Amino acid sequence: MRVAALIVAAGRGTRAGAGLPKQYRPVGGLPLLRHTLSAFSAHPDIDLVLTVIHRDDGDLYEHASSQIAKTLPAIPGGDTRQASVLAGLEALVQHDVTHVLIHDGARPFVSAAVIDGVLHALAHGKDVHGALPALAVTDTLRRAAAGMAGDTLSREGLVRAQTPQGFEFNAILAAHRAAPHDQFTDDVAIAADAGLRVALVAGAEENFKVTEPQDFLRAEQFLAHQRESRTGSGFDVHRFCEGDHVTLCGVRVPHTQGLLGHSDADVGLHALTDALLGTIGEGDIGDHFPPSDPKWKGAASDIFLKHAGKLVEARGGRITNLDITLICEAPKIGPHRDTMRQKIADILHIEKSRVSVKATTTEALGFTGRREGIAAQAIATVSLLLSGGGS
Protein backbone atom coordinates (compact mmCIF):
# COMPACT_ATOMS: atom_id res chain seq x y z
CA MET A 1 0.00 0.00 0.00
CA ARG A 2 1.10 3.52 -0.78
CA VAL A 3 -1.15 5.75 1.31
CA ALA A 4 -1.87 9.45 1.05
CA ALA A 5 -3.70 11.51 3.65
CA LEU A 6 -5.91 14.14 2.02
CA ILE A 7 -6.73 16.90 4.50
CA VAL A 8 -9.74 19.04 3.66
CA ALA A 9 -9.25 22.56 5.04
CA ALA A 10 -10.71 24.95 2.46
CA GLY A 11 -13.78 26.04 4.43
CA ARG A 12 -14.42 29.31 6.23
CA GLY A 13 -15.81 27.81 9.45
CA THR A 14 -18.44 30.50 9.96
CA ARG A 15 -20.20 28.60 12.76
CA ALA A 16 -17.02 28.85 14.84
CA GLY A 17 -17.48 32.60 15.19
CA ALA A 18 -15.64 35.67 13.96
CA GLY A 19 -11.88 35.79 13.44
CA LEU A 20 -9.46 33.61 11.53
CA PRO A 21 -10.83 30.54 9.74
CA LYS A 22 -11.15 27.94 12.49
CA GLN A 23 -8.43 25.66 11.10
CA TYR A 24 -5.83 28.38 11.73
CA ARG A 25 -6.94 29.52 15.18
CA PRO A 26 -4.64 28.55 18.04
CA VAL A 27 -5.31 25.44 20.08
CA GLY A 28 -2.68 24.79 22.71
CA GLY A 29 -0.67 27.67 21.27
CA LEU A 30 -0.49 26.13 17.77
CA PRO A 31 -2.78 26.44 14.74
CA LEU A 32 -5.54 23.83 14.93
CA LEU A 33 -4.58 22.50 11.51
CA ARG A 34 -1.02 21.85 12.67
CA HIS A 35 -2.27 19.24 15.15
CA THR A 36 -4.13 17.50 12.32
CA LEU A 37 -1.15 17.50 9.97
CA SER A 38 1.21 16.31 12.69
CA ALA A 39 -0.98 13.30 13.47
CA PHE A 40 -0.81 11.99 9.91
CA SER A 41 2.82 12.98 9.34
CA ALA A 42 3.85 11.03 12.44
CA HIS A 43 2.06 7.84 11.39
CA PRO A 44 4.55 5.35 9.89
CA ASP A 45 2.10 4.00 7.28
CA ILE A 46 1.21 7.38 5.80
CA ASP A 47 3.49 8.16 2.86
CA LEU A 48 2.45 11.71 2.03
CA VAL A 49 0.04 14.40 3.17
CA LEU A 50 -1.80 16.79 0.84
CA THR A 51 -3.95 19.63 2.13
CA VAL A 52 -6.68 21.41 0.19
CA ILE A 53 -6.98 25.02 1.35
CA HIS A 54 -8.88 28.18 0.51
CA ARG A 55 -7.18 30.21 -2.20
CA ASP A 56 -6.67 33.12 0.24
CA ASP A 57 -5.01 31.07 2.99
CA GLY A 58 -1.55 30.40 1.56
CA ASP A 59 0.40 32.31 4.19
CA LEU A 60 -1.70 30.90 7.03
CA TYR A 61 -1.11 27.38 5.75
CA GLU A 62 2.64 27.89 5.37
CA HIS A 63 2.85 28.92 9.02
CA ALA A 64 0.64 26.03 10.18
CA SER A 65 2.58 23.39 8.24
CA SER A 66 6.15 24.66 8.71
CA GLN A 67 8.69 21.81 9.08
CA ILE A 68 6.07 19.04 9.16
CA ALA A 69 7.38 16.02 7.28
CA LYS A 70 5.65 14.32 4.32
CA THR A 71 3.57 17.39 3.39
CA LEU A 72 3.12 18.30 -0.27
CA PRO A 73 2.48 21.90 -1.36
CA ALA A 74 -1.15 22.74 -0.64
CA ILE A 75 -3.62 23.16 -3.47
CA PRO A 76 -6.69 25.45 -3.67
CA GLY A 77 -10.09 23.91 -3.09
CA GLY A 78 -13.49 24.47 -4.66
CA ASP A 79 -16.73 26.09 -3.56
CA THR A 80 -17.96 22.95 -1.77
CA ARG A 81 -16.29 20.27 0.31
CA GLN A 82 -17.05 17.77 -2.43
CA ALA A 83 -15.33 19.94 -5.04
CA SER A 84 -12.32 20.37 -2.76
CA VAL A 85 -11.95 16.63 -2.24
CA LEU A 86 -12.13 16.00 -5.98
CA ALA A 87 -9.43 18.64 -6.56
CA GLY A 88 -7.24 16.89 -4.01
CA LEU A 89 -7.82 13.47 -5.54
CA GLU A 90 -6.94 14.76 -9.00
CA ALA A 91 -3.72 16.28 -7.63
CA LEU A 92 -2.76 12.92 -6.10
CA VAL A 93 -3.00 11.01 -9.39
CA GLN A 94 0.62 11.84 -10.25
CA HIS A 95 1.86 10.40 -6.94
CA ASP A 96 0.86 6.79 -7.68
CA VAL A 97 -0.96 6.21 -4.39
CA THR A 98 -3.00 3.05 -3.92
CA HIS A 99 -5.15 4.24 -1.01
CA VAL A 100 -6.26 7.59 0.35
CA LEU A 101 -7.49 8.69 3.78
CA ILE A 102 -9.76 11.73 3.49
CA HIS A 103 -9.89 13.73 6.73
CA ASP A 104 -11.48 16.93 8.01
CA GLY A 105 -8.80 19.49 8.85
CA ALA A 106 -10.88 20.54 11.86
CA ARG A 107 -10.55 17.13 13.55
CA PRO A 108 -7.19 17.78 15.22
CA PHE A 109 -7.01 14.84 17.62
CA VAL A 110 -7.27 11.79 15.40
CA SER A 111 -5.27 9.01 17.02
CA ALA A 112 -2.86 6.52 15.54
CA ALA A 113 -5.30 3.78 16.64
CA VAL A 114 -8.12 5.21 14.52
CA ILE A 115 -5.81 5.54 11.52
CA ASP A 116 -4.61 1.95 12.11
CA GLY A 117 -8.20 0.70 12.12
CA VAL A 118 -8.99 2.33 8.79
CA LEU A 119 -5.80 1.04 7.18
CA HIS A 120 -6.35 -2.49 8.51
CA ALA A 121 -9.85 -2.62 7.04
CA LEU A 122 -8.54 -1.43 3.67
CA ALA A 123 -5.74 -3.98 3.66
CA HIS A 124 -7.64 -7.01 4.97
CA GLY A 125 -11.36 -6.42 4.49
CA LYS A 126 -13.07 -8.87 2.14
CA ASP A 127 -14.68 -7.17 -0.87
CA VAL A 128 -14.15 -3.81 0.83
CA HIS A 129 -13.45 -0.59 -1.06
CA GLY A 130 -13.46 1.78 1.90
CA ALA A 131 -13.52 2.16 5.67
CA LEU A 132 -15.43 4.54 7.94
CA PRO A 133 -14.56 5.21 11.60
CA ALA A 134 -17.79 5.56 13.55
CA LEU A 135 -19.28 5.63 17.04
CA ALA A 136 -22.55 4.13 18.22
CA VAL A 137 -25.41 6.53 18.92
CA THR A 138 -26.08 6.38 22.66
CA ASP A 139 -28.38 9.37 23.24
CA THR A 140 -32.13 9.08 22.89
CA LEU A 141 -33.22 10.50 19.54
CA ARG A 142 -36.42 12.49 19.19
CA ARG A 143 -38.03 14.33 16.36
CA ALA A 144 -38.50 18.07 17.01
CA ALA A 145 -41.98 19.41 16.30
CA ALA A 146 -42.49 23.20 16.41
CA GLY A 147 -40.11 23.57 19.34
CA MET A 148 -41.63 20.65 21.22
CA ALA A 149 -40.34 17.11 21.80
CA GLY A 150 -41.83 14.81 19.21
CA ASP A 151 -41.67 11.09 18.53
CA THR A 152 -38.80 8.94 19.77
CA LEU A 153 -36.69 7.49 16.99
CA SER A 154 -35.00 4.12 17.08
CA ARG A 155 -31.20 4.16 17.52
CA GLU A 156 -30.85 0.68 16.11
CA GLY A 157 -28.34 0.59 13.30
CA LEU A 158 -27.37 4.26 13.67
CA VAL A 159 -23.78 5.44 14.04
CA ARG A 160 -21.96 8.79 14.18
CA ALA A 161 -19.61 9.05 11.19
CA GLN A 162 -16.10 10.44 11.58
CA THR A 163 -13.01 10.83 9.44
CA PRO A 164 -10.53 9.78 8.11
CA GLN A 165 -12.62 7.91 5.60
CA GLY A 166 -10.30 5.57 3.74
CA PHE A 167 -10.68 4.21 0.22
CA GLU A 168 -8.97 2.43 -2.62
CA PHE A 169 -7.69 5.42 -4.52
CA ASN A 170 -8.88 4.60 -8.02
CA ALA A 171 -12.32 3.57 -6.76
CA ILE A 172 -13.05 6.78 -4.86
CA LEU A 173 -11.57 8.93 -7.63
CA ALA A 174 -13.91 7.33 -10.15
CA ALA A 175 -16.84 7.73 -7.74
CA HIS A 176 -16.13 11.43 -7.29
CA ARG A 177 -15.76 11.99 -11.02
CA ALA A 178 -19.10 10.27 -11.65
CA ALA A 179 -21.02 11.89 -8.76
CA PRO A 180 -24.40 13.15 -10.09
CA HIS A 181 -24.45 16.31 -7.93
CA ASP A 182 -22.28 18.24 -5.46
CA GLN A 183 -24.50 18.02 -2.38
CA PHE A 184 -23.12 14.84 -0.80
CA THR A 185 -22.21 15.42 2.86
CA ASP A 186 -19.23 13.08 3.01
CA ASP A 187 -17.15 10.74 0.89
CA VAL A 188 -18.86 7.56 2.10
CA ALA A 189 -22.11 8.91 0.64
CA ILE A 190 -20.38 9.33 -2.72
CA ALA A 191 -18.88 5.85 -2.43
CA ALA A 192 -22.27 4.33 -1.60
CA ASP A 193 -23.88 6.09 -4.58
CA ALA A 194 -21.22 4.45 -6.76
CA GLY A 195 -21.92 1.02 -5.27
CA LEU A 196 -18.72 0.77 -3.23
CA ARG A 197 -18.67 -1.29 -0.05
CA VAL A 198 -17.47 0.57 3.03
CA ALA A 199 -16.62 -1.22 6.29
CA LEU A 200 -17.23 0.28 9.71
CA VAL A 201 -14.29 0.54 12.13
CA ALA A 202 -14.01 1.95 15.63
CA GLY A 203 -13.94 5.73 15.96
CA ALA A 204 -12.98 7.66 19.09
CA GLU A 205 -14.66 10.34 21.20
CA GLU A 206 -11.54 12.51 21.11
CA ASN A 207 -11.71 12.55 17.31
CA PHE A 208 -14.33 15.30 17.45
CA LYS A 209 -14.75 18.06 14.90
CA VAL A 210 -14.22 21.65 16.01
CA THR A 211 -17.33 23.40 14.72
CA GLU A 212 -18.85 25.73 17.32
CA PRO A 213 -17.07 28.33 19.51
CA GLN A 214 -17.41 26.08 22.59
CA ASP A 215 -15.49 23.34 20.78
CA PHE A 216 -12.30 25.37 21.16
CA LEU A 217 -12.68 25.19 24.94
CA ARG A 218 -13.18 21.42 24.68
CA ALA A 219 -10.04 21.20 22.53
CA GLU A 220 -7.98 23.21 25.03
CA GLN A 221 -9.21 21.02 27.88
CA PHE A 222 -8.33 17.89 25.95
CA LEU A 223 -4.82 19.14 25.24
CA ALA A 224 -4.29 20.18 28.85
CA HIS A 225 -4.42 16.49 29.77
CA GLN A 226 -1.99 15.56 27.00
CA ARG A 227 0.89 17.84 28.03
CA GLU A 228 3.84 17.87 30.38
CA SER A 229 6.14 20.67 31.44
CA ARG A 230 9.81 20.41 30.39
CA THR A 231 12.69 22.63 31.57
CA GLY A 232 16.09 23.12 29.94
CA SER A 233 19.12 25.17 30.94
CA GLY A 234 21.92 26.80 28.98
CA PHE A 235 25.23 28.51 29.76
CA ASP A 236 27.67 30.34 27.52
CA VAL A 237 30.83 32.45 27.78
CA HIS A 238 32.68 34.70 25.32
CA ARG A 239 35.85 36.68 25.93
CA PHE A 240 36.29 40.34 25.01
CA CYS A 241 38.28 41.41 21.95
CA GLU A 242 38.82 44.61 20.03
CA GLY A 243 35.63 46.30 18.93
CA ASP A 244 33.12 49.04 19.59
CA HIS A 245 30.02 47.05 20.48
CA VAL A 246 28.71 43.73 21.74
CA THR A 247 25.58 41.87 20.60
CA LEU A 248 23.50 40.67 23.53
CA CYS A 249 20.10 38.99 23.21
CA GLY A 250 19.93 40.16 19.62
CA VAL A 251 20.58 43.81 20.43
CA ARG A 252 23.65 45.84 19.44
CA VAL A 253 25.01 47.47 22.60
CA PRO A 254 27.78 50.11 22.30
CA HIS A 255 30.91 49.17 24.29
CA THR A 256 34.65 49.78 24.34
CA GLN A 257 35.27 46.18 23.28
CA GLY A 258 33.66 43.43 21.23
CA LEU A 259 33.09 39.73 21.93
CA LEU A 260 35.16 37.02 20.28
CA GLY A 261 33.34 34.12 18.67
CA HIS A 262 32.78 32.19 15.47
CA SER A 263 29.33 33.74 15.03
CA ASP A 264 28.32 37.12 16.48
CA ALA A 265 29.23 35.81 19.99
CA ASP A 266 25.81 36.63 21.44
CA VAL A 267 26.13 34.86 24.80
CA GLY A 268 22.50 35.54 25.69
CA LEU A 269 21.00 33.93 22.61
CA HIS A 270 23.54 31.09 22.69
CA ALA A 271 22.61 30.19 26.27
CA LEU A 272 18.91 30.49 25.45
CA THR A 273 19.25 28.31 22.34
CA ASP A 274 20.87 25.57 24.42
CA ALA A 275 18.12 25.87 27.03
CA LEU A 276 15.39 25.39 24.41
CA LEU A 277 17.21 22.46 22.83
CA GLY A 278 17.47 20.93 26.29
CA THR A 279 13.70 20.88 26.73
CA ILE A 280 13.37 18.40 23.85
CA GLY A 281 16.65 16.51 24.27
CA GLU A 282 18.14 17.83 21.03
CA GLY A 283 21.76 18.32 22.13
CA ASP A 284 23.36 21.75 22.07
CA ILE A 285 23.99 24.57 19.66
CA GLY A 286 27.26 23.04 18.46
CA ASP A 287 25.44 19.90 17.28
CA HIS A 288 23.23 21.94 14.97
CA PHE A 289 25.66 24.73 14.00
CA PRO A 290 29.23 23.40 14.31
CA PRO A 291 31.81 26.16 14.93
CA SER A 292 34.10 24.35 12.49
CA ASP A 293 31.67 25.10 9.65
CA PRO A 294 32.68 28.36 7.90
CA LYS A 295 29.02 28.79 6.92
CA TRP A 296 28.29 30.16 10.39
CA LYS A 297 31.23 32.55 10.65
CA GLY A 298 29.85 35.91 11.77
CA ALA A 299 26.27 34.60 11.63
CA ALA A 300 23.54 36.39 13.56
CA SER A 301 22.55 34.24 16.53
CA ASP A 302 18.85 34.81 15.98
CA ILE A 303 19.21 32.11 13.28
CA PHE A 304 20.20 29.61 15.98
CA LEU A 305 17.42 30.61 18.35
CA LYS A 306 14.78 30.55 15.62
CA HIS A 307 15.92 27.03 14.65
CA ALA A 308 15.57 25.81 18.24
CA GLY A 309 12.13 27.39 18.49
CA LYS A 310 10.96 25.64 15.33
CA LEU A 311 12.22 22.28 16.64
CA VAL A 312 10.20 22.79 19.81
CA GLU A 313 7.14 23.77 17.78
CA ALA A 314 7.52 20.75 15.50
CA ARG A 315 7.30 18.54 18.61
CA GLY A 316 3.99 20.15 19.53
CA GLY A 317 5.73 22.30 22.13
CA ARG A 318 4.67 25.69 23.45
CA ILE A 319 7.15 28.04 25.11
CA THR A 320 5.74 29.15 28.45
CA ASN A 321 8.66 31.03 30.00
CA LEU A 322 12.24 32.11 29.24
CA ASP A 323 14.64 33.55 31.82
CA ILE A 324 18.09 34.86 30.83
CA THR A 325 20.74 36.27 33.17
CA LEU A 326 23.66 38.20 31.69
CA ILE A 327 26.78 38.23 33.91
CA CYS A 328 29.20 41.11 33.38
CA GLU A 329 30.66 44.26 34.94
CA ALA A 330 30.05 46.24 31.76
CA PRO A 331 28.29 47.29 29.61
CA LYS A 332 25.15 48.33 31.48
CA ILE A 333 22.25 46.07 30.55
CA GLY A 334 19.37 47.94 32.20
CA PRO A 335 18.81 50.53 29.43
CA HIS A 336 18.53 47.76 26.82
CA ARG A 337 16.59 45.13 28.75
CA ASP A 338 13.11 45.78 27.34
CA THR A 339 14.48 45.92 23.79
CA MET A 340 16.18 42.56 24.38
CA ARG A 341 12.96 41.02 25.69
CA GLN A 342 11.02 42.24 22.66
CA LYS A 343 13.70 40.99 20.28
CA ILE A 344 13.58 37.48 21.73
CA ALA A 345 9.78 37.51 21.70
CA ASP A 346 9.78 38.53 18.03
CA ILE A 347 12.28 35.81 17.06
CA LEU A 348 10.20 33.09 18.72
CA HIS A 349 6.74 34.56 18.01
CA ILE A 350 5.73 34.60 21.66
CA GLU A 351 4.48 37.27 24.04
CA LYS A 352 7.06 39.62 25.54
CA SER A 353 5.57 38.82 28.96
CA ARG A 354 7.01 35.29 28.66
CA VAL A 355 10.59 36.60 28.41
CA SER A 356 12.74 37.80 31.31
CA VAL A 357 16.19 39.35 30.90
CA LYS A 358 18.24 40.14 33.98
CA ALA A 359 21.82 41.21 34.63
CA THR A 360 24.23 40.79 37.51
CA THR A 361 27.89 41.16 38.34
CA THR A 362 30.25 38.84 40.20
CA GLU A 363 31.40 41.58 42.60
CA ALA A 364 34.72 41.91 40.73
CA LEU A 365 35.45 38.19 41.18
CA GLY A 366 36.46 35.76 38.41
CA PHE A 367 36.94 36.42 34.72
CA THR A 368 33.79 38.52 34.42
CA GLY A 369 34.86 40.51 37.47
CA ARG A 370 38.21 41.16 35.79
CA ARG A 371 36.28 42.35 32.70
CA GLU A 372 37.75 39.62 30.51
CA GLY A 373 34.41 38.58 29.03
CA ILE A 374 30.68 38.07 29.47
CA ALA A 375 28.75 34.99 30.61
CA ALA A 376 25.07 34.13 30.35
CA GLN A 377 22.79 31.50 31.77
CA ALA A 378 19.25 30.72 30.65
CA ILE A 379 16.33 28.57 31.69
CA ALA A 380 13.51 27.65 29.30
CA THR A 381 10.18 26.09 30.22
CA VAL A 382 8.10 24.41 27.53
CA SER A 383 4.71 22.74 27.57
CA LEU A 384 5.17 19.62 25.43
CA LEU A 385 2.68 17.12 24.10
CA LEU A 386 3.11 13.78 25.85
CA SER A 387 3.18 12.00 22.50
CA GLY A 388 6.31 14.02 21.65
CA GLY A 389 5.29 14.56 18.05
CA GLY A 390 2.19 16.65 17.47
CA SER A 391 -1.20 15.16 18.33
Side-chain angles (χ1 to χ4, degrees), residues 310-324:
K310 286 186 177 295
L311 289 179
V312 169
E313 185 179 331
R315 291 277 299 274
R318 180 176 60 191
I319 297 170
T320 57
N321 191 64
L322 303 173
D323 190 13
I324 306 101

Side-chain angles (χ1 to χ4, degrees), residues 9-178:
R12 300 290 82 190
T14 54
R15 283 183 290 172
L20 287 174
K22 64 183 179 182
Q23 58 268 40
Y24 302 109
R25 295 186 197 177
V27 173
L30 298 173
L32 183 153
L33 181 59
R34 187 173 188 86
H35 296 285
T36 306
L37 297 175
S38 295
F40 285 93
S41 172
H43 196 285
D45 295 326
I46 300 297
D47 295 288
L48 50 92
V49 181
L50 174 66
T51 307
V52 184
I53 65 173
H54 191 276
R55 64 181 65 89
D56 296 332
D57 291 348
D59 290 343
L60 291 170
Y61 174 78
E62 288 302 316
H63 173 66
S65 63
S66 174
Q67 293 193 336
I68 295 181
K70 304 180 184 177
T71 54
L72 298 173
I75 65 165
D79 294 331
T80 65
R81 183 188 188 281
Q82 186 174 331
S84 293
V85 172
L86 178 56
L89 293 172
E90 296 287 6
L92 286 171
V93 170
Q94 62 181 305
H95 295 282
D96 298 321
V97 298
T98 62
H99 296 79
V100 61
L101 271 55
I102 305 171
H103 186 70
D104 298 324
R107 291 184 188 269
F109 306 129
V110 58
S111 66
V114 169
I115 296 173
D116 286 341
V118 173
L119 292 176
H120 185 271
L122 292 175
H124 303 288
K126 184 177 181 181
D127 297 326
V128 165
H129 307 99
L132 167 68
L135 294 170
V137 175
T138 57
D139 295 328
T140 296
L141 298 179
R142 289 187 179 278
R143 192 181 305 279
M148 304 298 287
D151 296 337
T152 300
L153 303 178
S154 172
R155 298 177 304 212
E156 185 176 354
L158 296 181
V159 295
R160 290 183 284 149
Q162 297 185 327
T163 66
Q165 297 175 4
F167 303 93
E168 294 177 348
F169 180 75
N170 289 333
I172 194 63
L173 175 62
H176 263 273
R177 286 173 172 174

Side-chain angles (χ1 to χ4, degrees), residues 16 22-36 105-110 205-227 316 318 383 385 390-391:
K22 64 183 179 182
Q23 58 268 40
Y24 302 109
R25 295 186 197 177
V27 173
L30 298 173
L32 183 153
L33 181 59
R34 187 173 188 86
H35 296 285
T36 306
R107 291 184 188 269
F109 306 129
V110 58
E205 287 291 349
E206 64 269 21
N207 187 25
F208 62 90
K209 187 176 181 180
V210 175
T211 303
E212 306 289 345
Q214 60 268 26
D215 293 331
F216 283 93
L217 175 59
R218 181 183 178 187
E220 293 286 357
Q221 291 173 336
F222 175 81
L223 273 185
H225 294 287
Q226 309 299 313
R227 288 186 172 273
R318 180 176 60 191
S383 174
L385 287 172
S391 300

